[in-house]
Amino acid sequence: MSEKRKTHKVRLLEYLQRYGAITQMESTRDLGNTRLAGAIHQLKQCNVPIVTKSKKVQTRFKDDNGDRLTTIVCEYSLGPNGMNIKPSEL
């Protein structure tokens, strides 16, 4: 009998509990999830407290002076009591 595969929301909850926060780039790189907002929505529907904040990050592009351009991305973290939720409860 094979072990049941973890869903995106379970892997995301475990990631947030271990590392504290996540952006879309980290989600794609570390979890292979290109639809972070969808997994966040699923966690919220399971009453997992999620905090969303805007974060300014550098892009790979440069302006005419050679300075890196920036953009704003969402960074998600667990809210109060989020560390107490067991992935098996989702």
Side-chain angles (χ1 to χ4, degrees):
M1 184 181 234
S2 65
E3 182 180 327
K4 185 178 176 183
R5 290 178 29 163
K6 292 181 182 178
T7 63
H8 283 301
K9 68 181 180 181
V10 169
R11 290 195 327 244
L12 177 57
L13 177 61
E14 290 174 346
Y15 186 96
L16 290 171
Q17 289 174 334
R18 182 171 182 181
Y19 298 105
I22 193 167
T23 64
Q24 178 61 58
M25 182 176 282
E26 293 162 342
S27 175
T28 302
R29 182 189 66 214
D30 299 341
L31 302 176
N33 184 354
T34 58
R35 293 183 35 84
L36 176 60
I40 291 291
H41 179 73
Q42 289 178 342
L43 286 179
K44 286 181 177 181
Q45 287 183 322
C46 293
N47 296 318
V48 175
I50 300 289
V51 175
T52 305
K53 73 175 193 175
S54 297
K55 180 179 179 181
K56 190 181 221 182
V57 297
Q58 290 185 337
T59 69
R60 61 184 172 157
F61 302 105
K62 296 181 181 178
D63 63 14
D64 294 335
N65 296 327
D67 296 326
R68 300 275 299 267
L69 298 176
T70 59
T71 191
I72 304 293
V73 299
C74 286
E75 181 178 65
Y76 302 99
S77 60
L78 291 173
N81 300 319
M83 296 300 283
N84 300 330
I85 298 172
K86 295 181 177 80
S88 60
E89 295 175 351
L90 298 179

